[in-house]
Amino acid sequence: MTRDRFFMIRSAIHVVNDTDVTAENKANDKLWKVRPVIDKFRETVLKIPRQKEASIDEQMIPFTGHVVFRQFVPRKPNPTGLKNYVLSSKNGLILDFEVYQGKVTTRLPAEINAQLRLGTGGRAVMRLSETCLPGTNLYFDRYFTGLALLEALRAKGISGTGTTMKNRLPNINFKSDAELSAEGRGSCDIKIRDDEKVLALKWVDNKVITLASTRHGAEPFTPARRYSRADREYIQIQMPEIVSQYNLNMGGVDLHNRMLAHYRSYHRTNKWPVRFMEHFLDMACVNSWITYKDDQQARHTPKKDVMDMHFFKMRLSQLLILGVDPSADTKDSDDEQPPRKKLAGRPGNVSLPPREVRIKQALHLPQAMDLSSAPRCRNPGCKARSRIKCLRCQVFLCVSKERNCFIEFHRNG
């Protein structure tokens, strides 16, 4: 496919018929152009079994074009784009999400909003916690954390832990940052509410951080290895339980974003629906790869036999292009597939087809080629040479009395 044809097809991609969407829906839903993509992906991720620990964070969909709800979030790898609130497991698996459309994104009923007095971040956490089971431990950063949010989550049977800003913990007389820093790294100041339901803590590491939790306390303290510039050596400091649990369970969204960035489907475009759909396709690929990797680990598959993310995405692309359903019984399917395009170079310079295509009984016919030199047989483990080519797979395979690689290649996959 030429570049111009690709851009022409991409410019015509739509997931909804504009004339079928009413003016009221367009006014109430700023994401109506991609709503089927959002609904389908969310329907799928909600089927994933919930874990006891999960984290909530912001995710940026890179986009610098014009759109009403575009955001700028500093200190992000892609600070400009569409903001997405994401609920994730600690291994980077997306469990739920809510795309930011403005202040109306996570609007709560008026009476509940007046009672809780939550900001935009707090309302986002309450919205994402709707799909969490009672007893779940949620972790979030200081953009979300506040006493009102922790109380609202505790009323639902969900605990919350996160870093916070000092102005969100009013009337708590912590030691000053200078006093704590003077006591040395590892020092902390602990405050527990009278009903012993909420703990707030200031702890000194490279700098002073403040945390609040309805789940974890300061004890037990665990040793942590840190580098001291003053002493020019590594030292051991005491880390509270709340900090170690936060470090262990927070960061699933950042991990997912890092895996997205490795092989992002990025094309220059001024149309936000195109960028949005590419991003959600990448999220689906990453979620699928994480699930595949967990399944292989449960089967005790050797690491050398587990596909990395690059090969997994290439394999997925091949199957989609060839129209092969991996879940179907390929041995009973006789649907014809389009012939593979021959690559330039030597006759044997063709990539091996996916296993689903190799064992599919359709158009696998041998043909003797008139070549001056025979290419090497492509059946794994065979080093012989052959002039017999499979018309469907476009690879050369042996057909002899000693070894019939043609049958073995298509039977075993």
Side-chain angles (χ1 to χ4, degrees):
M1 183 185 300
T2 62
R3 181 203 61 183
D4 292 342
R5 177 168 175 79
F6 170 78
F7 285 133
M8 181 187 69
I9 294 175
R10 195 188 67 174
S11 66
I13 291 179
H14 290 77
V15 293
V16 294
N17 189 344
D18 294 2
T19 58
D20 292 341
V21 183
T22 63
E24 182 181 0
N25 289 339
K26 291 181 181 179
N28 296 331
D29 185 9
K30 297 178 182 179
L31 299 170
W32 61 272
K33 289 187 176 182
V34 291
R35 180 54 59 183
V37 175
I38 296 175
D39 292 342
K40 186 62 179 178
F41 185 70
R42 185 164 186 266
E43 176 188 347
T44 303
V45 298
L46 289 180
K47 297 178 182 178
I48 299 174
R50 291 297 184 264
Q51 302 177 10
K52 190 175 181 181
E53 279 80 22
S55 61
I56 295 176
D57 203 351
E58 298 170 298
Q59 180 189 72
M60 295 302 295
I61 303 173
F63 183 70
T64 56
H66 176 72
V67 63
V68 177
F69 47 93
R70 191 187 70 182
Q71 294 285 299
F72 176 80
V73 180
R75 295 186 296 274
K76 290 285 187 181
N78 298 289
T80 304
L82 313 182
K83 185 162 67 174
N84 187 21
Y85 297 114
V86 178
L87 174 71
S88 168
S89 65
K90 63 182 179 181
N91 64 343
L93 193 64
I94 301 298
L95 303 176
D96 199 0
F97 62 93
E98 182 71 31
V99 182
Y100 181 78
Q101 303 183 52
K103 293 183 179 180
V104 299
T105 303
T106 53
R107 178 176 292 175
L108 299 175
E111 61 277 5
I112 299 179
N113 192 30
Q115 179 183 1
L116 298 178
R117 296 181 181 179
L118 299 175
T120 304
R123 292 196 299 269
V125 173
M126 293 299 294
R127 151 68 186 80
L128 294 174
S129 67
E130 293 175 357
T131 59
C132 296
L133 301 175
T136 302
N137 304 322
L138 290 181
Y139 299 84
F140 25 79
D141 60 20
R142 67 178 195 161
Y143 174 77
F144 304 95
T145 311
L147 289 179
L149 174 61
L150 296 177
E151 285 290 347
L153 289 174
R154 193 171 66 86
K156 298 174 61 174
I158 298 174
S159 66
T161 302
T163 56
T164 184
M165 293 176 275
K166 288 177 287 188
N167 60 0
R168 293 191 181 180
L169 300 176
N171 304 323
I172 298 181
N173 297 320
F174 281 120
K175 295 180 182 179
S176 67
D177 293 356
E179 291 175 338
L180 275 178
S181 299
E183 294 179 9
R185 294 176 71 174
S187 303
C188 64
D189 188 12
I190 306 168
K191 302 294 181 182
I192 302 176
R193 207 168 64 179
D194 294 340
D195 58 2
E196 298 184 353
K197 300 296 184 182
V198 180
L199 175 138
L201 176 142
K202 286 180 72 173
W203 181 64
V204 182
D205 192 3
N206 287 326
K207 61 180 181 178
V208 179
I209 60 172
T210 307
L211 299 97
S213 175
T214 57
R215 169 67 180 177
H216 303 290
E219 297 180 352
F221 288 87
T222 55
R225 189 168 180 256
R226 295 290 188 271
Y227 183 76
S228 173
R229 291 185 178 180
D231 301 331
R232 295 186 178 181
E233 62 180 3
Y234 286 95
I235 61 175
Q236 295 288 335
I237 66 173
Q238 294 299 310
M239 178 184 291
E241 174 72 5
I242 181 176
V243 179
S244 60
Q245 289 297 322
Y246 178 83
N247 291 339
L248 177 64
N249 296 291
M250 184 64 185
V253 179
D254 292 336
L255 178 60
H256 188 95
N257 291 340
R258 189 177 69 184
M259 290 186 284
L260 277 178
H262 287 324
Y263 308 106
R264 187 186 297 276
S265 301
Y266 188 87
H267 300 95
R268 295 180 61 183
T269 177
N270 290 324
K271 296 184 177 181
W272 70 265
V274 173
R275 177 59 47 76
F276 194 96
M277 287 186 287
E278 288 181 345
H279 181 82
F280 268 73
L281 287 173
D282 288 339
M283 287 175 64
C285 289
V286 172
N287 253 27
S288 301
W289 179 70
I290 294 174
T291 305
Y292 157 78
K293 192 171 63 170
D294 291 343
D295 292 342
Q296 295 301 317
Q297 185 176 2
R299 296 176 182 175
H300 304 288
T301 304
K303 287 187 177 180
K304 63 182 182 64
D305 296 332
V306 178
M307 290 184 286
D308 59 20
M309 186 179 169
H310 184 220
F311 190 82
F312 180 86
K313 201 168 183 179
M314 293 286 290
R315 177 74 177 277
L316 180 61
S317 302
Q318 284 181 322
L319 298 181
L320 290 174
I321 292 172
L322 296 172
V324 177
D325 182 6
S327 62
D329 187 359
T330 55
K331 293 185 178 180
D332 297 333
S333 175
D334 291 326
D335 299 332
E336 293 187 358
Q337 302 293 335
R340 291 170 59 84
K341 186 176 180 179
K342 183 178 179 180
L343 300 179
R346 296 178 300 173
N349 189 17
V350 177
S351 59
L352 292 178
R355 180 180 182 276
E356 289 78 6
V357 173
R358 289 158 61 176
I359 64 175
K360 190 171 183 178
Q361 306 300 319
L363 297 180
H364 291 296
L365 301 176
Q367 181 182 13
M369 306 299 294
D370 185 13
L371 300 173
S372 57
S373 60
R376 177 165 292 182
C377 175
R378 297 301 300 277
N379 189 34
C382 181
K383 298 182 179 180
R385 295 182 175 273
S386 173
R387 292 183 174 83
I388 305 298
K389 183 173 73 171
C390 175
L391 294 179
R392 175 66 183 88
C393 302
Q394 296 292 309
V395 295
F396 288 84
L397 300 163
C398 296
V399 179
S400 62
K401 294 186 297 182
E402 294 79 13
R403 184 182 178 95
N404 195 330
C405 291
F406 189 92
I407 294 179
E408 182 180 341
F409 182 82
H410 295 106
R411 179 179 293 169
N412 300 331

